[in-house]
Amino acid sequence: MDLRAELLKSIWYAFTALDVEKSGKVSKSQLKVLSHNLYTVLCIPHDPVALEEHFRDDDDGPVSSQGYMPYLNKYILDKVEEGAFVKENFDELCWTLTAKKNYKPDRNGNSVVSHQDAFKLWCLFNFLSEDKYPLVMVPDEVEYLLKKICTAMNVELNSCELEDYLSQEPQGQGGLTVWQFLDMVNSGRFLRGIEQEAVSMAVEEVYQEVIEDHSFDLHVSRAQGYLWKKGQLRRNWSERWFMLKPSVLSYYMSEERKEKKGSIALDKHCCVEVLPDRDGKRCMFCVKTSSRTYEMSASDTRQRQEWTLAIQTAIRLQAEGKKSLHKDLKQKRREQREQREQRKAAKEEETQRLKQLQEEKERKLQELELLKEAQRQAEILLQEEEQRRRQQHEEMQRTLEIQLREAEQARASMQAEMVLKEAEAERQRKRILELEDMQERLQEALQQEVKARQDEEAVRYAQARLLAEEEEKLKQLMKLKEEQEEYIIKTQREKQVLKQEMENKNKCLEEAQKQLEEVRVNRQRVDQDVMAAQRKLRQASTNVKHWNVQMNRLMHPIGPGDKRTNVSGGVFAGYQPLLSRKDSSLK
C-alpha cells in the first residue's frame, strides 16, 4: 500500500474518535485542532489562511468525512513527503485520540499487553487490515499475526481454539475490528502462562520486523521452522531449523541457532520446484541454485505451500530489487483469499445448478406420475362406460360402438403421448448422467491445468536462466572480440614501430661501418706514423750511442792527474744529466 493509504487509515481512527455521537460528522473546531496537529507531526508548513477559510463558522452544522476529505487531500496529504517526518509520531497522535474513546484495558491491571504494546498491535492491525472502511482484519490475517507473535516467543498457536473463538465472535464485514482484536489478545485465551515481558518482547520484535522494515528498508523476514533436508554427500535426511531472510536461506542444528549448518544464497538465478513423494518423504520441494539443488520435505502440504511461496517471493524481490517483503507477502495472501472465494463461489454456483437440475428431474417425474394416474382413471371410466352401454337398448349399440372406437382412438393417442413422455424422461436421465460425467471431466481438466501451469512456471524459470547465461556468454564473446581487435591494432602498430626502428638501426649500422672504415684508414695511417717514429727512434738511439762512444773517447786520455781530473769532472759533469734526459726522451 502507498503512503497515502497508510496515513488515511490512522486518520480515519482519529476522525471516528472525534465523532462522539456516531453520526458520521465532527464539529469544525475539533477538525481544526486535528488539522493543526497533523500539520505539526507531518512536518508540513502551516497554512493558517486556508485553515481559517475552510473551517470558518459562517455555515451551520458539523462536517462529515466526505466533506473533510477535499481539504485533507489538498492541504495535507498532497504535501506529505515520504521520509520528511517520523511515521511513529504520526501513529501515536492518532492512537492517542482513538484509544481514549475505544481502548478499554483491564482496570485491575490484568491485561496481557501494556498500553505501548497495544499501540504497536494497533499499528500492525492497520498494516494487515483490508483497504475498506470500516477497517477490519480477516481471520487469515489474524491467525498470521498471532502466529508471528507466538513464533517470536517459541510458542505454538492453537489454531483449532482460534477457529472456535472466531466462529463465536460476531464479525462485521467478514473480519475483526481492532478493538475486538485487542480484547481477544488481552483475554489471555491464546497466551496462557506467558509473562507480560515476554509478550512485550515478542510484540516489539514483530513490530520492528513488519512496521519498521516496511517503512524504511528491507531488514529480516523471519520465515522460520523445522524442515527435513537431504544431504549432499551422504544423501541421508536430517531435520534442520530453517530461517529465511531476503537474500539467504540459513539452516541450523536446532531452533536455538547456536550451530549453523549452512546457508543457501538466493538470487535471480534460483528457483523453487515441487517434487513428488519419494524415499519415504512427502510434501517435498527443492531450491535450485546455479551450483546445486537442495531437496527438502515439509510436515504437510500447507507448510510446503507457505515455504515455497515465501522463497519464491524472496527470489522475485531480489530479481526486481524491491524492498518491502511484508507488503508483497500480504498481497499474495490477499490474492490467495480471493482465489479461494472465487473457487467457493464457483462451487456453490455448480451446486445450485445441480440442485436445479434435480428439481427439474423430480418435477418431470411428478408430471409422469400424474399422466399415469390420469390414464388409470380414464381406463376405469371407460370400463364403467362400457358396462353402462351394454345395459342400454340394442338401438344404441351402433352409437356405443362408434363411441367405443372413439375412446380407443383417444386411448391410443394417450398411450402415444405417454410413450413420448417416457422418452423425454429417459433423455432427461441421460442428460443428468452426461452432466455428472462432464463435471468429473471438468475437475480432471482443472487438475491438469494446475499441473500444466506449474510445469510452465518451471520451464519459464529454466528458460529465463538459459537466456541470462546466453546473454552473459554473448557479452564475454563480444568482449573477447574487442580485445582481439585491439590486440591486432596494437600488433600492427608495434610492427610499424619495429620496422621503423629496424630502418633506423640499418642507417646507424651503415654509418658505423663508414666510421669503422675511417677508423681503419686512420689506424693504418697511425701505424705508418708509429713505424716512422720507431725508425727515427732507432736512428736517434744509434746516434746517442755513437755520441756516447765519442764522449768516452774524448774523456778517457785526460784521466791521469788529480787536478786535471777534477777539472775534467767539473767540465763534463753538466753534460751527463743532459745526456741521460735526451736518452730517456728518445726512448
Side-chain angles (χ1 to χ4, degrees):
M1 75 183 88
D2 56 2
L3 181 61
R4 180 185 290 263
E6 293 181 10
L7 297 179
L8 276 176
K9 285 186 176 182
S10 299
I11 294 174
W12 178 80
Y13 279 108
F15 185 90
T16 53
L18 297 176
D19 182 14
V20 180
E21 299 179 356
K22 297 183 180 181
S23 61
K25 295 183 179 181
V26 179
S27 65
K28 291 184 178 180
S29 60
Q30 290 177 319
L31 289 179
K32 187 175 180 181
V33 175
L34 174 62
S35 301
H36 189 275
N37 290 329
L38 291 177
Y39 275 121
T40 303
V41 295
L42 294 175
C43 299
I44 301 173
H46 288 253
D47 191 353
V49 177
L51 189 66
E52 296 294 338
E53 179 67 22
H54 189 81
F55 294 106
R56 64 179 184 271
D57 296 329
D58 56 354
D59 52 347
D60 299 330
V63 179
S64 65
S65 60
Q66 299 298 324
Y68 181 56
M69 282 302 296
Y71 174 82
L72 182 64
N73 286 324
K74 182 177 180 181
Y75 294 101
I76 297 179
L77 296 181
D78 289 345
K79 297 180 181 180
V80 173
E81 295 182 1
E82 188 169 1
F85 66 98
V86 180
K87 178 70 164 49
E88 187 174 358
N89 295 340
F90 169 79
D91 289 334
E92 284 182 354
L93 170 66
C94 298
W95 163 253
T96 303
L97 292 174
T98 188
K100 289 181 181 180
K101 176 183 176 183
N102 299 299
Y103 182 52
K104 299 176 182 178
D106 192 348
R107 296 181 179 179
N108 298 325
N110 297 326
S111 299
V112 176
V113 296
S114 62
H115 189 79
Q116 185 65 21
D117 294 335
F119 161 68
K120 294 174 183 177
L121 289 174
W122 177 76
C123 294
L124 290 168
F125 181 93
N126 289 343
F127 177 74
L128 296 175
S129 62
E130 299 297 305
D131 298 333
K132 294 181 290 186
Y133 294 91
L135 295 175
V136 295
M137 186 160 59
V138 296
D140 291 344
E141 295 297 326
V142 173
E143 182 179 3
Y144 171 77
L145 179 54
L146 290 177
K147 273 188 176 181
K148 290 193 74 67
I149 295 174
C150 292
T151 302
M153 297 185 294
N154 293 326
V155 177
E156 185 177 359
L157 177 66
N158 192 339
S159 301
C160 297
E161 188 175 358
L162 177 61
E163 291 179 0
D164 294 339
Y165 180 87
L166 294 176
S167 62
Q168 297 172 4
E169 186 72 15
Q171 300 179 11
Q173 297 187 1
L176 294 179
T177 64
V178 65
W179 315 118
Q180 290 175 327
F181 175 72
L182 290 176
D183 291 341
M184 178 184 68
V185 175
N186 278 324
S187 65
R189 184 171 181 177
F190 305 102
L191 302 173
R192 296 189 185 96
I194 301 176
E195 297 181 356
Q196 185 177 7
E197 183 179 355
V199 176
S200 180
M201 292 175 63
V203 171
E204 174 66 21
E205 183 177 350
V206 177
Y207 177 81
Q208 291 293 330
E209 175 189 346
V210 178
I211 302 300
E212 295 297 330
D213 295 347
H214 167 70
S215 300
F216 296 99
D217 57 348
L218 185 62
H219 184 56
V220 177
S221 172
R222 299 192 180 276
Q224 54 189 359
Y226 278 108
L227 292 173
W228 288 89
K229 174 185 169 295
K230 191 174 185 179
Q232 182 181 10
L233 299 178
R234 299 176 61 185
R235 310 302 291 171
N236 59 336
W237 290 90
S238 304
E239 192 175 24
R240 296 287 183 257
W241 177 267
F242 280 79
M243 175 177 287
L244 174 64
K245 296 182 180 180
S247 60
V248 65
L249 177 61
S250 304
Y251 49 95
Y252 303 82
M253 180 64 73
S254 63
E255 58 185 325
E256 284 79 12
R257 295 177 289 173
K258 294 181 179 179
E259 183 180 355
K260 184 176 181 180
K261 303 300 292 184
S263 60
I264 305 171
L266 302 178
D267 54 25
K268 63 181 180 180
H269 301 296
C270 299
C271 64
V272 182
E273 294 182 1
V274 177
L275 301 177
D277 298 344
R278 64 172 183 270
D279 299 337
K281 296 295 180 182
R282 60 190 186 91
C283 303
M284 294 178 59
F285 66 97
C286 68
V287 179
K288 291 186 177 180
T289 65
S290 57
S291 59
R292 182 183 166 187
T293 299
Y294 299 84
E295 296 184 10
M296 283 159 278
S297 172
S299 59
D300 52 32
T301 306
R302 182 175 181 180
Q303 187 186 23
R304 178 178 66 179
Q305 183 179 4
E306 291 176 353
W307 273 103
T308 54
L309 179 61
I311 297 173
Q312 287 174 352
T313 303
I315 294 172
R316 183 167 53 82
L317 289 176
Q318 285 290 316
E320 297 176 359
K322 293 184 178 180
K323 294 184 176 181
S324 179
L325 178 61
H326 290 285
K327 174 183 174 182
D328 196 74
L329 290 176
K330 175 189 173 184
Q331 185 64 27
K332 285 288 185 182
R333 293 194 299 272
R334 180 176 295 177
E335 291 176 358
Q336 289 179 354
R337 287 197 302 272
E338 293 176 354
Q339 291 175 0
R340 287 199 300 268
E341 291 175 358
Q342 291 176 359
R343 290 194 295 267
K344 183 178 179 181
K347 186 176 180 180
E348 291 178 353
E349 183 179 356
E350 183 68 19
T351 304
Q352 187 67 24
R353 192 170 62 84
L354 292 175
K355 184 178 179 181
Q356 292 176 356
L357 291 175
Q358 185 67 23
E359 291 176 353
E360 182 69 18
K361 177 182 177 181
E362 292 177 356
R363 188 177 61 82
K364 293 290 184 181
L365 292 175
Q366 290 176 359
E367 291 179 356
L368 183 62
E369 290 294 332
L370 290 175
L371 290 174
K372 289 181 178 179
E373 183 65 24
Q375 182 181 3
R376 287 194 297 270
Q377 292 179 1
E379 289 176 353
I380 293 171
L381 291 174
L382 182 60
Q383 291 175 1
E384 292 176 354
E385 184 69 19
E386 288 177 354
Q387 290 176 1
R388 195 168 49 252
R389 288 170 181 171
R390 288 170 185 173
Q391 294 174 3
Q392 292 178 357
H393 296 287
E394 295 179 356
E395 291 83 2
M396 302 295 295
Q397 185 65 33
R398 294 179 181 177
T399 306
L400 291 174
E401 291 178 355
I402 295 171
Q403 291 178 355
L404 181 60
R405 286 194 297 270
E406 292 177 354
E408 289 177 352
Q409 291 177 358
R411 179 181 177 183
S413 63
M414 189 174 296
Q415 288 179 349
E417 185 177 357
M418 178 178 163
V419 171
L420 292 176
K421 293 292 183 181
E422 290 179 351
E424 181 68 20
E426 185 66 25
R427 284 196 298 271
Q428 291 294 334
R429 284 193 294 272
K430 290 182 179 179
R431 178 61 178 168
I432 291 172
L433 293 175
E434 291 176 357
L435 289 175
E436 292 176 351
D437 186 33
M438 184 181 297
Q439 182 184 3
E440 294 178 356
R441 290 199 299 270
L442 285 175
Q443 290 179 351
E444 293 177 358
L446 181 60
Q447 294 177 357
Q448 293 176 0
E449 182 179 1
V450 171
K451 185 176 180 182
R453 287 184 178 178
Q454 293 176 351
D455 296 340
E456 181 184 0
E457 185 177 0
V459 171
R460 191 183 302 113
Y461 278 122
Q463 185 179 7
R465 186 173 65 255
L466 292 175
L467 289 175
E469 292 176 356
E470 183 178 358
E471 184 178 359
E472 184 66 24
K473 290 181 179 179
L474 182 60
K475 289 181 179 178
Q476 294 177 359
L477 181 61
M478 294 300 294
K479 185 176 180 180
L480 290 174
K481 186 176 180 182
E482 292 176 358
E483 292 178 355
Q484 186 178 6
E485 291 177 354
E486 291 177 357
Y487 181 74
I488 291 172
I489 294 171
K490 183 178 179 181
T491 305
Q492 291 178 353
R493 290 178 181 174
E494 291 178 354
K495 185 176 180 182
Q496 292 178 359
V497 171
L498 290 174
K499 185 177 181 182
Q500 188 68 28
E501 291 179 355
M502 189 177 293
E503 291 177 356
N504 294 333
K505 288 182 179 180
N506 289 331
K507 290 180 181 180
C508 293
L509 183 61
E510 291 176 357
E511 292 178 358
Q513 289 178 352
K514 290 179 182 180
Q515 292 177 1
L516 182 60
E517 291 295 331
E518 292 177 357
V519 169
R520 287 177 180 174
V521 173
N522 292 332
R523 182 179 177 183
Q524 292 176 0
R525 191 182 299 114
V526 170
D527 290 341
Q528 293 175 0
D529 293 340
V530 170
M531 292 175 67
Q534 288 178 354
R535 284 194 302 270
K536 290 178 181 180
L537 180 61
R538 285 193 298 270
Q539 186 176 1
S541 178
T542 304
N543 293 332
V544 169
K545 291 180 180 179
H546 176 71
W547 283 103
N548 285 329
V549 172
Q550 293 298 327
M551 290 289 291
N552 290 327
R553 286 178 183 176
L554 291 173
M555 292 169 61
H556 184 68
I558 310 173
D562 294 332
K563 189 175 181 180
R564 299 288 295 250
T565 303
N566 293 331
V567 173
S568 63
V571 174
F572 292 99
Y575 291 100
Q576 188 66 30
L578 180 61
L579 291 173
S580 299
R581 287 195 298 270
K582 188 175 181 181
D583 188 22
S584 62
S585 64
L586 289 174
K587 289 179 180 179

